[in-house]
Amino acid sequence: MLNNQIAIAPPEAVPTAAKTPMPTPLGLKGLLPLKEAAHAQVYSHRQQIKAILAGEDERVLVIAGPCSLHCPDAALEYGRRLKVLQEKVAGRCLLVMRAYLEKPRTTVGWKGMLYAPDLSERCDIHAGVEVSRRTLLQLAELGLPLATEALNPLAFPYIDDLVSWVAIGARTTESQIHREMASGLACAVGFKNGTHGGFDTAVHAMLSASQAHSCLTTDEQGRMVTYHTHGNDAAHMVLRGGGGASNYDAHSVQMAGEHLRRAGLKPALIVDCSHENSGKDHRRQGSVATAVCEQIAAGQTALRGLMLESHLQAGRQDIGAALEYGVSVTDACIGWKETEALVALVASSKE
């Protein structure tokens, strides 16, 4: 063999990965359909969210809920409580429930309900998409707008008709695939600033998502197709801090708004009260939310909403044999009582 030749193993010597057939998105939607009344409701929620982000609706968007859903019963109880709370702040706030099904991982760990609904290390995506869709369907039927992070573009078609707001995470905001996907979504999409804390990555993502694209994807029957998008005019920035620093203060918010204006984009911002804005300490989310409310009350029009990682009970727990009901198994969350108090604070900022 010549020195510059590479030895290639024969096909039979290459290990073959196991493959499990999946239901098509169309098939799962047929099994768990969204009723006509709920479909109209999702459309209405999407339009309301877009109007808030465009400054046409003066209400404040509050996206609240668990870091990641892991227990359908607890998720539904949270949803019922949030629905009651919405009635108390109607006219000043629009409450959207965090219904995140995928958990981005720096290395390894539980990837979320969509991948491992039984919380084990064994992935069962076939069961995961069914449990995930059933849970979101029940939440939507409560009358709630739902928010989720679109991590895997191939998974999103299983739930896309149920969601009213989508987040693109800090690690995927740079992804061309996610920008193209966002350009074709019917709902508003929030791009988080990069993990380093700068605004340019999110601005570039918003500019890309606002344009038409032709890209490869799968249709509802699982076939590869060329998708011609029209662009998304409801893309906006989510401030989550980064590089070891926060970016929810008045100066950072002003700078973010100026970045958007210079790029020819609407100055629409949502503050994530968790992650690096809270120093990854759930107990500090309240102080972040308070600072945001003070800016809104003072007339900062670029701030259109905030996000809270919230559950029935405060804190977090490791996945194990005996789990405490209503406690996060991923990032630590604030509890329900604090959530109620902070939503009331947000509502008061619009009085």
Side-chain angles (χ1 to χ4, degrees):
M1 182 186 302
L2 297 176
N3 290 337
N4 62 348
Q5 288 182 323
I6 300 173
I8 301 175
E12 63 272 12
V14 178
T16 302
K19 299 176 183 177
T20 304
M22 287 287 295
T24 66
L26 185 63
L28 186 61
K29 288 174 178 176
L31 179 67
L32 297 169
L34 180 64
K35 296 176 182 177
E36 186 174 344
H39 177 79
Q41 170 194 282
V42 171
Y43 176 80
S44 174
H45 286 149
R46 289 175 175 177
Q47 298 309 112
Q48 291 176 54
I49 290 170
K50 290 179 180 180
I52 292 171
L53 291 167
E56 299 164 359
D57 184 330
E58 293 186 357
R59 288 180 295 173
V60 181
L61 200 61
V62 180
I63 302 166
C67 170
S68 294
L69 302 188
H70 73 276
C71 171
D73 289 342
L76 288 170
E77 181 177 342
Y78 187 98
R80 285 190 288 267
R81 293 188 186 187
L82 198 67
K83 178 62 175 176
V84 172
L85 186 56
Q86 171 64 79
E87 295 170 0
K88 295 179 180 178
V89 297
R92 292 172 290 172
C93 301
L94 177 61
L95 307 186
V96 181
M97 180 172 169
R98 277 181 62 111
Y100 284 34
L101 305 166
E102 302 177 86
K103 179 65 180 176
R105 287 297 182 185
T106 303
T107 54
V108 293
W110 182 66
K111 295 181 180 180
M113 180 187 285
L114 193 141
Y115 296 89
D118 63 357
L119 299 175
S120 70
E121 295 181 0
R122 177 185 61 86
C123 278
D124 187 350
I125 303 177
H126 191 294
V129 294
E130 182 172 339
V131 172
S132 296
R133 181 168 177 84
R134 189 182 303 276
T135 302
L136 264 59
L137 188 60
Q138 291 172 321
L139 288 169
E141 289 174 348
L142 292 175
L144 288 170
L146 303 178
T148 199
E149 178 177 352
L151 185 61
N152 188 328
L154 293 177
F156 193 65
Y158 289 99
I159 59 165
D160 59 356
D161 56 330
L162 305 173
V163 176
S164 298
W165 184 88
V166 166
I168 304 296
R171 294 169 182 80
T172 44
T173 288
E174 284 191 271
S175 163
Q176 178 174 316
I177 293 172
H178 288 78
R179 293 175 178 185
E180 291 172 346
M181 176 185 68
S183 76
L185 295 183
C187 58
V189 178
F191 287 96
K192 290 196 172 184
N193 64 257
T195 54
H196 51 77
F199 306 130
D200 286 346
T201 300
V203 169
H204 295 162
M206 292 168 63
L207 288 169
S208 176
S210 69
Q211 302 300 308
H213 290 274
S214 294
C215 50
L216 280 174
T217 188
T218 56
D219 65 11
E220 287 196 320
Q221 298 184 56
R223 300 172 302 193
M224 291 300 300
V225 295
T226 303
Y227 186 30
H228 304 286
T229 71
H230 296 289
N232 192 326
D233 62 359
H236 54 284
M237 188 187 299
V238 180
L239 300 178
R240 47 88 73 196
S246 63
N247 59 9
Y248 64 88
D249 59 281
H251 176 70
S252 295
V253 168
Q254 185 67 26
M255 291 295 293
E258 289 177 5
H259 269 70
L260 293 171
R261 290 185 187 94
R262 285 199 298 269
L265 295 166
K266 297 174 184 176
L269 302 167
I270 290 177
V271 170
D272 179 353
C273 296
S274 188
H275 297 96
E276 290 194 70
N277 273 335
S278 67
K280 300 183 180 180
D281 182 349
H282 68 287
R283 295 167 296 186
R284 294 175 58 187
Q285 287 192 66
S287 62
V288 178
T290 299
V292 172
C293 289
E294 290 172 350
Q295 293 177 63
I296 292 173
Q300 176 51 270
T301 57
L303 286 171
R304 305 293 165 79
L306 55 80
M307 179 185 294
L308 300 168
E309 287 195 321
S310 156
H311 215 327
L312 299 176
Q313 299 187 60
R316 68 167 304 278
Q317 62 187 326
D318 291 327
I319 293 174
L323 290 177
E324 189 174 357
Y325 180 75
V327 179
S328 174
V329 298
T330 48
D331 291 351
C333 296
I334 60 173
W336 181 254
K337 287 185 178 180
E338 185 174 3
T339 303
E340 284 186 306
L342 291 177
V343 169
L345 180 65
V346 176
S348 69
S349 72
K350 299 300 292 185
E351 291 178 346

